[in-house]
Amino acid sequence: QQQVKQSPQSLIVQKGGISIINCAYENTAFDYFPWYQQFPGKGPALLIAIRPDVSEKKEGRFTISFNKSAKQFSLHIMDSQPGDSATYFCAARYGGATNKLIFGTGTLLAVQP
Amino acid sequence: DTEVTQTPKHLVMGMTNKKSLKCEQHMGHRAMYWYKQKAKKPPELMFVYSYEKLSINESVPSRFSPECPNSSLLNLHLHALQPEDSALYLCASSQASGGKGNVQFFGPGTRLTVL
């Protein structure tokens, strides 16, 4: 119940294409769903996040779609660029006092020029 | 200032050494975190401090000893580590746990190698 399942493990997209990464969870105690982007040798950086009472959130080329009934959420990167090549982690946060994040297994995205 | 800083960037230590990792933030955050990240894996939570008190210890071996001297600083003391402890150690901070918008901001990490 603590797991967040993420797919695909790796993804190759052509420049200008759409990158889609999917995550699924079981625990209804999760109340916040951030996506982090991590470049090699760097710490994860928050990309975009959503709450379960919102079905979609868009920031620039990045969009989160959230399906509460299916317990699934996804990241869409529009007009993918080589600079987007990185590892992407979805995460889910337990509500309440702990602010504990459970991370997905990560997706290595390569955008080919 | 919206960043979390960590020192050193790289650390190589023997199994009998004692060393410390340091983390600092000046965002007024009252929750700070230590994570361990192995290659091609997600970060794994080790410890959480909330208002300078240890609130979560994810069953981490005692050879890792966290310390939070004040609201801006977080240390991780290392002693008698094993080669399998080699990893990227990440520090993060957030507003006090719970509530809205408690995004965790991560530092760049310390790359630790245990020989």
Side-chain angles (χ1 to χ4, degrees), chain A residues 32 36 38 41-44 46 51 89 93 96-101 103-105, chain B residues 33 35 37 41-43 58 90 94 97-104 106-108:
Chain A
Y32 181 69
Y36 284 87
Q38 186 174 26
K42 304 292 185 183
L46 179 71
R51 300 192 178 281
F89 293 100
R93 189 192 75 170
T98 66
N99 203 31
K100 180 176 177 179
L101 284 179
F103 284 88
T105 49
Chain B
Y33 312 77
Y35 288 84
Q37 186 178 27
K41 298 291 185 183
E58 292 286 343
L90 295 162
S94 73
S97 53
K100 294 185 177 181
N102 288 337
V103 173
Q104 291 186 27
F106 283 82

Side-chain angles (χ1 to χ4, degrees), chain A residues 19-23 25 32-36 46-52 54-68 72-78 88-91:
Chain A
S19 304
I20 302 174
I21 304 170
N22 300 298
C23 286
Y25 65 98
Y32 181 69
F33 299 86
W35 284 88
Y36 284 87
L46 179 71
L47 195 60
I48 188 172
I50 198 167
R51 300 192 178 281
V54 176
S55 61
E56 185 175 283
K57 184 175 181 180
K58 183 177 181 180
E59 291 184 1
R61 296 185 294 109
F62 301 92
T63 299
I64 300 178
S65 297
F66 191 89
N67 186 329
K68 187 175 181 178
Q72 295 175 347
F73 57 111
S74 60
L75 176 69
H76 294 232
I77 306 174
M78 311 300 287
Y88 292 81
F89 293 100
C90 63

Side-chain angles (χ1 to χ4, degrees), chain B residues 30-62:
Chain B
R30 301 306 297 273
M32 297 186 75
Y33 312 77
W34 280 115
Y35 288 84
K36 173 182 178 180
Q37 186 178 27
K38 301 284 270 186
K40 299 186 179 181
K41 298 291 185 183
E44 296 176 32
L45 183 65
M46 300 174 72
F47 303 103
V48 180
Y49 274 82
S50 182
Y51 293 96
E52 295 90 71
K53 293 192 187 313
L54 184 65
S55 61
I56 295 180
N57 176 339
E58 292 286 343
S59 302
V60 178
S62 60

